[in-house]
Amino acid sequence: MAVPDSKAASIRAAAAMAPLGIVIQSASGERLFENEAAAALTAATADVAVVRLRLRNLITEAQQRNEPVERQIELHGPSPRTLAIQAMPLPAEDASIGTVAFIEDLTSASRVNSMRSDFIANASHELKTPLGAMRLLADALLATDRPDLSRDLVQKIQGEAERMTRLVDDLLDLALEEEAAPDSQPVDLCDVVGDAVAQLELLVETTGISVDLSCSSTRVAGNRRRLVTAVANLLENAIKYTATKGAADPEPVAVRSWREGKVAVIEVEDHGIGIPGHHQDRIFERFYRVDRGRNRASGGTGLGLSIARHVVENHHGKISVESVSGSGSTFRIELPALEE
Ligand code: ADP
């Protein structure tokens, strides 16, 4: 049955606009139709010729086997892409009149999937380390009848339990930041930096590294508790990585906040061990540490900066670092300031 002209025209227009790539080939091998998405998907890859060849082969295969075939193509080029191609014969009364192929760009979906499985693998590994240690310590505790040793082992078990608690707390903070945008209230940055400093009193006491605070009242829209978490994470690092340097008379860490036109700025500056240049881009990634063994032993979860970055981005801001290895680091948060 012939399709009336207006109907054929509207089907053609709809296919042309479809976000999925569509290619139709006649039974004799003639290319009857290719929509814009198909052209764009193949042209956007560095390996246009490879994609076109694989597409043609798949169409031929579907036609010869007279059944749908599906293949995923991984392109490794400068920007890797994943395409899924499905080719299926177009059935008519007694024979196939040609083949249609659909091309879908799975690049972002497969990136999300691989990030998710990396994350689960990392989180499990991080949790397994203190769990394994607790198991060994508990075995040693069972095997000893020396009270002095027992006390020492119990304290170590407590330390490992604290580390697991910190990790789980950080994982929950991260999940919260990744899932929900913060509720928005006017927040004064003096309250944020003040709360963050108060949270770290104990660390200041135990390390002997003091914190200099200065702020001029500037308001942003956001969630005070989450902003405090971000600043406290930066401050904790600043103190920790100043202490790691082991200077006889360590310089204080500085936290300051002020307004620059429409931007509210918070800076956390230390004169600690600093971060080598080639690590600076990566430290905001989940579980990334400059010195894996040492930082894990010092009790870090490797999630602090990633949480801080999420909080800042959820507040429509940006976070950056300037650091010189051996001399110290300055972390800077910029947020949109509220009108005065
Ligand atoms: P961690 O819990 O290991 O501190 P973070 O996500 O907070 O994890 O930081 C990631 C890594 O960045 C740290 O392991 C450390 O190597 C480096 N880093 C962060 N802040 C500082 C700093 N102020 N000085 C030196 N190194 C830092």
Side-chain angles (χ1 to χ4, degrees), residues 174-187:
L174 192 64
L176 180 75
E177 287 311 322
E178 285 186 345
E179 255 163 39
D183 50 327
S184 211
Q185 308 278 336
V187 181

Side-chain angles (χ1 to χ4, degrees), residues 191-274:
D191 293 332
V192 172
V193 291
D195 286 1
V197 173
Q199 263 189 25
L200 288 153
E201 259 170 21
L202 192 63
L203 191 64
V204 166
E205 242 172 65
T206 51
T207 56
I209 290 159
S210 55
V211 176
D212 288 345
L213 188 159
S214 70
C215 79
S216 61
S217 188
T218 304
R219 291 185 320 149
V220 299
N223 179 299
R224 176 163 163 177
R225 196 187 62 75
R226 294 203 201 181
L227 288 167
V228 171
T229 301
V231 178
N233 286 354
L234 298 186
L235 202 52
E236 182 181 343
N237 283 345
I239 300 171
K240 242 171 34 184
Y241 297 112
T242 299
T244 320
K245 197 174 178 182
D249 186 14
E251 286 188 61
V253 162
V255 191
R256 38 185 185 261
S257 79
W258 72 96
R259 185 191 181 104
E260 271 177 29
K262 291 184 171 170
V263 182
V265 185
I266 303 174
E267 271 186 3
V268 177
E269 181 182 6
D270 68 65
H271 300 277
I273 58 171

